[in-house]
Amino acid sequence: MVNIWEYASSLPKVRIKTKDGGPYVGYTLMVWDADESNDDEDSITIELSSGETRSFYPSEIESIEEIK
């Protein structure tokens, strides 16, 4: 499982590849703690170039990398 918390402080642009094969590229907006969001898992929310926001759980993510 990936560690989404390493992206919480700098809020970088990231490339996320999901386990279902979907590649997503966008700027990190927030990393959510499961206790604070009343959810089962922590999550990361990114803003795609289209302006759409997407949230991902670590269990859905195959890989995540910062884009410089």
Side-chain angles (χ1 to χ4, degrees):
M1 192 176 307
V2 298
N3 178 10
I4 60 174
W5 285 99
E6 64 186 68
Y7 304 97
S9 295
S10 61
L11 301 177
K13 186 174 186 179
V14 294
R15 177 180 293 114
I16 294 175
K17 182 176 180 188
T18 59
K19 290 182 179 177
D20 66 8
Y24 299 92
V25 176
Y27 287 95
T28 304
L29 295 178
M30 183 75 175
V31 177
W32 301 90
D33 182 272
D35 292 335
E36 294 176 355
S37 61
N38 294 321
D39 219 334
D40 293 334
E41 288 185 69
D42 297 342
S43 61
I44 184 169
T45 300
I46 65 171
E47 182 176 12
L48 306 174
S49 60
S50 66
E52 175 187 5
T53 58
R54 292 281 315 255
S55 294
F56 302 91
Y57 298 114
S59 62
E60 299 174 312
I61 299 172
E62 182 177 303
S63 65
I64 183 171
E65 64 180 318
E66 182 175 348
I67 298 174
K68 303 273 181 184

